[in-house]
Amino acid sequence: MTQSLRELLLRRLNQVFWLGLLMILAGWGAWRFSGLAAPVSSVLTPSRTIAPRIQQLHLRSLSSLDSSVSVLRLAVMTGEAETVLLDLNEQIRQQTQEVTLLSSSGPGIRSAKQTVNQPVLLNHCLVFRKMLLRKASVRALSQHIAEFQSQVRHLQYRVAGN
């Protein structure tokens, strides 16, 4: 009986030793892991740089949209085929959707007037398509494009913060 008690005691002592060693290693690992956590100041830094990046991307997409509208206006003035004008209009519609998404993504960029104007930009593409399919005059198409381009430039001006 003393032999079995001794074995039992040694087994328990062995278990306590390994359990203690595992607990020490777990504590050391937790301490090391907590040292890897980013400090609060570095967590806040990226959000400060994200807004200007979104604004720059927004300005670039607005510039690209403005250029595409200029190309469409030139195509209307030179009498390009209806299919070419429809393709250009579709490209502008996609760029307008991109501008709309960027307008709603940044807290520093968003304003009440901008969110109201965004559907108007998309509606211009739809109205232009309908006008083109109804065979509207070059003058009417050009005037519609000029209004659209004016709104794009105004939005660009507002996003730039001027």
Side-chain angles (χ1 to χ4, degrees):
M1 181 134 177
T2 58
Q3 182 66 21
S4 65
L5 186 60
R6 187 179 300 166
E7 286 177 14
L8 183 63
L9 185 60
L10 283 174
R11 233 182 286 149
R12 295 289 179 230
L13 191 59
N14 192 14
Q15 288 175 346
V16 167
F17 170 76
W18 288 111
L19 183 62
L21 186 62
L22 284 174
M23 289 175 65
I24 290 170
L25 286 174
W28 177 78
W31 174 76
R32 292 275 301 171
F33 184 76
S34 70
L36 295 177
V40 175
S41 62
S42 67
V43 171
L44 296 177
T45 304
S47 66
R48 293 180 195 148
T49 60
I50 288 175
R53 288 180 187 166
I54 290 176
Q55 186 178 13
Q56 289 172 353
L57 183 61
H58 195 197
L59 285 171
R60 259 188 259 132
S61 66
L62 281 167
S63 295
S64 176
L65 178 61
D66 186 35
S67 298
S68 296
V69 172
S70 295
V71 168
L72 178 63
R73 190 173 199 186
L74 183 64
V76 166
M77 297 303 248
T78 59
E80 289 290 330
E82 182 178 315
T83 55
V84 172
L85 296 176
L86 287 173
D87 288 343
L88 288 171
N89 187 52
E90 178 61 22
Q91 176 187 352
I92 289 171
R93 186 190 64 76
Q94 290 173 359
Q95 288 176 325
T96 304
Q97 285 180 334
E98 179 183 330
V99 165
T100 302
L101 288 173
L102 287 169
S103 294
S104 62
S105 65
I109 298 170
R110 187 184 218 172
S111 72
K113 288 184 178 179
Q114 277 182 302
T115 55
V116 169
N117 284 340
Q118 294 311 317
V120 173
L121 291 180
L122 284 171
N123 287 341
H124 273 287
C125 297
L126 181 64
V127 169
F128 180 81
R129 180 179 174 82
K130 287 179 182 178
M131 289 174 70
L132 194 58
L133 293 175
R134 285 190 318 219
K135 310 286 187 215
S137 69
V138 172
R139 181 175 181 234
L141 290 172
S142 182
Q143 183 178 5
H144 179 77
I145 293 171
E147 290 172 10
F148 179 60
Q149 193 164 31
S150 173
Q151 287 185 352
V152 169
R153 288 180 178 170
H154 181 68
L155 181 60
Q156 191 174 12
Y157 179 79
R158 283 198 333 227
V159 169
N162 296 326

